Amino acid sequence: MLMSGSDKEAKLYYGPSSFRVLRPGRYVLCAVTGEAIALEELHYWSAARQEAYASCEIATRRLLGLDG
């Protein structure tokens, strides 16, 4: 089965208040859970770690070092 570019994982550069698309795609993976996050649903990331997070709870736990 052929996949279009929009069905692939995107590569992003995470800035402090926005992100820049380096490689087009439809989603990124949560750094903690591995869950796919649609770009239009991406609200939480770390610019310092260059990681995306699926929820504010996951982001908070990661940044506090509680993600195990």
Side-chain angles (χ1 to χ4, degrees):
M1 170 191 271
L2 293 175
M3 296 176 74
S4 71
S6 64
D7 291 337
K8 294 183 179 180
E9 182 179 357
K11 181 170 175 65
L12 305 180
Y13 173 80
Y14 301 101
S17 62
S18 65
F19 57 82
R20 185 169 29 121
V21 177
L22 301 176
R23 183 180 65 224
R26 200 177 85 127
Y27 66 91
V28 293
L29 297 178
C30 175
V32 176
T33 66
E35 175 183 346
I37 309 163
L39 293 188
E40 59 270 10
E41 299 296 323
L42 179 60
H43 302 291
Y44 307 101
W45 63 81
S46 168
R49 295 178 188 224
Q50 290 297 295
E51 297 178 335
Y53 309 111
S55 71
C56 64
E57 292 84 5
I58 293 170
T60 300
R61 289 185 61 81
R62 176 69 160 180
L63 297 176
L64 293 175
L66 303 174
D67 61 324

